[in-house]
């Protein structure tokens, strides 16, 4: 199981850090990714990290602003979000799959409930 947390209300230009904690059957050797979905819009890929932390990838709209990382000891993946703007407003949820490429394609084995991020003044 995957549990996302850390969302909230932030002003434009601000920062938030999301956490995704894995438990139960979710393997620590799986890649973990983040997706987001705004009301009435498609689900979009945000970022992914492989099980070792050595490979990462980002969606075009967040490159240079978001950073994904993982703490294997805590079985937790983080998404540091900086320079937030209104277009980043969405429900963010984390997913897991054996393959980084599969996650980028939108395929995942495990997923959890999302956390709401709202960017507004």
């Amino acid at each position: 199981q995957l549990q996302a947390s850390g969302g909230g209300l932030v002003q434009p230009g601000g920062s938030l850090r999301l956490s995704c904690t894995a438990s139960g059957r979710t393997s620590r050797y799986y890649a973990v990714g983040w997706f987001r979905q705004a009301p009435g819009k498609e689900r979009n890929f945000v970022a992914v990290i492989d099980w070792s932390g050595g490979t990462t990838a980002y969606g075009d709209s967040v490159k240079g602003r978001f950073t994904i990382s993982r703490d294997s000891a805590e079985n937790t993946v983080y998404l540091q979000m900086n320079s937030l703007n209104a277009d980043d407003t969405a429900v963010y949820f984390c997913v897991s799959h054996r393959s980084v490429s599969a996650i980028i394609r939108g395929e995942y084995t495990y997923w959890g409930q999302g956390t709401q991020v709202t960017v507004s003044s």
Side-chain angles (χ1 to χ4, degrees):
Q1 293 181 351
L2 300 172
Q3 179 64 52
S5 61
L9 174 63
V10 62
Q11 292 186 343
S15 299
L16 277 176
R17 189 178 78 160
L18 305 184
S19 300
C20 174
T21 302
S23 62
R25 298 175 59 185
T26 307
S27 172
R28 66 178 60 244
Y29 297 110
Y30 273 31
V32 175
W34 289 93
F35 282 76
R36 66 187 184 184
Q37 188 165 21
K41 295 188 177 181
E42 294 183 348
R43 184 176 304 167
N44 289 325
F45 166 73
V46 176
V48 64
I49 188 167
D50 74 344
W51 71 271
S52 70
T55 299
T56 60
Y58 298 89
D60 288 341
S61 62
V62 306
K63 283 180 181 177
R65 300 188 299 122
F66 291 12
T67 302
I68 190 169
S69 61
R70 73 188 300 163
D71 182 336
S72 296
E74 298 294 329
N75 214 10
T76 299
V77 170
Y78 302 100
L79 184 68
Q80 178 67 42
M81 306 186 297
N82 299 328
S83 301
L84 287 163
N85 59 62
D87 290 338
D88 296 316
T89 296
V91 174
Y92 286 70
F93 58 98
C94 52
V95 303
S96 181
H97 192 283
R98 188 184 304 274
S99 162
V100 166
S101 298
I103 289 178
I104 294 173
R105 293 193 301 267
E107 302 167 12
Y108 31 86
T109 305
Y110 301 104
W111 62 93
Q113 291 185 336
T115 185
Q116 176 71 47
V117 172
T118 303
V119 184
S120 175
S121 56

